[in-house]
Amino acid sequence: MITIGTLIAIQAIAVCGLNVIVGYAGQISLGHAAFFGIGAYTAALFATKAGLSFWASLPIVIAISALIGLLLGLPSIRVREDFLAITTIGINFIVEAIFRYVPFFGGALGIGGIPKIAFYGVRLKGISFFILCLVFLFLVIGLCYWLKKSWASLACYAIREEEQAASTLGISPVKFKLLAFVIGTAIAGIGGSLYAHYMQFISAGDFSFPISVGFLSMLVLGGMGTLWGPVLGTLILGILPEIFRPLVDYRILLYTILLLIMIRFQPGGLLGEGSAMRRIFEPLLRVKR
Amino acid sequence: MGKERDNMFLDVKGLSISYGDIRAVQNVNFYMEKGELISIIGANGAGKTTIINSLMGLVPVQSGTIIFKGQDITKMPAHKRARIGIRIVPERSRVFPRLTVYENLLTGMYGMKNKVSPEKSILQLYEIFPILKERKNQLASTLSGGEQQQLAIARALVSEPELLLVDEVSTGLMPKLTQEVFSVLETLNKEHQLTILLVEQNAFVSLEISTRGYVLETGQCVLEGPATFLMDNTRIKEVYLGH
Ligand SMILES: Nc1ncnc2c1ncn2[C@@H]1O[C@H](COP(=O)(O)OP(=O)(O)O)[C@@H](O)[C@H]1O
Ligand SMILES: [Mg+2]
């Protein structure tokens, strides 16, 4: 139970990052697992080869994820939207292949023996690791909340809504899309680092294309661009296969069907504008405004 | 003509623009002095939107040059032009429907040169457009057509631009509202010395507040001169003013 909860919390972090890219800046990304993986491998390498703790390597992990996000985002963002989907899929396959075939990254065997995280000398496991993940999840949600409220988000919104109109207001579409991409990949990196230290063993398959499809399904289900949608979507898709065991084997099929159904009937997601859930919760949200 | 065109505020020379095989604008020349309000008038499809969009940087120029305050901006991207003080009120206003009036105004703040406090600049605009103050927390989609036009103008003005490009602001407005919007533009020009370029099908109202005008027919400039001269021109009267 705790294991499922921890993994859901970690995935929710990654999906929050995806939300910044897809939901806030309106760019499709089908390669998010690659950036999750880059975070995980960076943390794993620093832990096993340099003996750095989770805390010591975290800033480096964030920086490297962001930097690779920047380098890969730069050419991707300039292409047309439908190309971006294909480009990000390509990125996912290439990154996975590098993890799988380059010996430095452990090759087909992956990287094992990654230590658990210690907090003031106490090794976190079980419930305490779960709590740590929740803390990170809330920090990330806090960051997303701030992003949603800040000026940058208005600019992002304008670009998503109508790129040309945004540019006539002095907003550089390329700059903001890139910024969102970098923030999103950095958040994925944090999730990846937690994942590596939790699983203690990672391999290339953990970050394959189907995982990216899963992330996107979670986001679309919960509601792109909403604050809590990523958490809700991850929760539902994380728990469902646990309840209906046979579903595990058909996970990808489930994700894909769900993705298509959502895009067809409820593109805003469960928590999106005008959704049934939203109508129920709206009065509650109003008060908080 | 011997006119000194070296230090023009805006100087457009030999402008030609095509969409694929369609030649939308052919060898158009015009200029603006600082503080002028001029009109480019022409029928539907004459190429007015194409010209104004090319000034904003939204459509690529095929040949010709656009010089703004001595700087060649022909190839400058739109967001940079916005930052050096060119703003557009696009055709059919195109405000952000799912943002409130206030938020729409905030989007206009983004690329400002000198950061005045947003509140201050917006408060001044509320004085010019009182209806926007009343509706500030309403979603833009709930505004009437005329109110959306006012919002689009206000959004373009928040950043205190130097050149305002206005594309067919009268489209879809009732005559009374058209008059109101035009009198606001006139005030902005006369009292705030804002340089304004209007493109309009509605020749009469726009020439009335303009100093000069250009007449566009199928992408070519066929007539130019002082507004009063154009209003007296028999051809214009026939075609555009319906006399
Ligand atoms: N995006 C476009 N693609 C192809 N042709 C266009 C496009 N925009 C405008 N045109 C054509 O260019 C000409 C000028 O259009 P436009 O500048 O919109 O005229 P106006 O604003 O004066 O009505 C028209 O013949 C129109 O059909
Ligand atoms: Mg037009």
Side-chain angles (χ1 to χ4, degrees), chain B residues 19 22 24 42-51 91 167-168 201 216:
Chain B
Y19 299 103
I22 304 167
N44 199 5
K48 304 181 298 297
T49 298
T50 304
I51 289 182
E91 203 169 19
D167 193 353
E168 299 230 30
Q201 262 187 78
L216 206 60

Side-chain angles (χ1 to χ4, degrees), chain A residues 151, chain B residues 87 101-102 104-130 132-133 150-151 153-161 188 192:
Chain A
W151 267 34
Chain B
R87 290 287 160 125
V101 167
Y102 179 73
N104 261 286
L105 292 176
L106 275 186
T107 62
M109 302 284 310
Y110 189 76
M112 280 186 56
K113 301 181 301 217
N114 28 335
K115 302 248 185 227
V116 197
S117 93
E119 314 302 330
K120 185 165 158 266
S121 167
I122 288 174
L123 281 184
Q124 284 175 351
L125 285 167
Y126 284 156
E127 274 172 36
I128 308 176
F129 304 98
L132 297 183
K133 187 178 183 183
Q150 296 187 41
L151 178 56
I153 298 173
R155 184 180 67 180
L157 291 176
V158 213
S159 64
E160 299 173 359
L188 287 167
H192 301 266

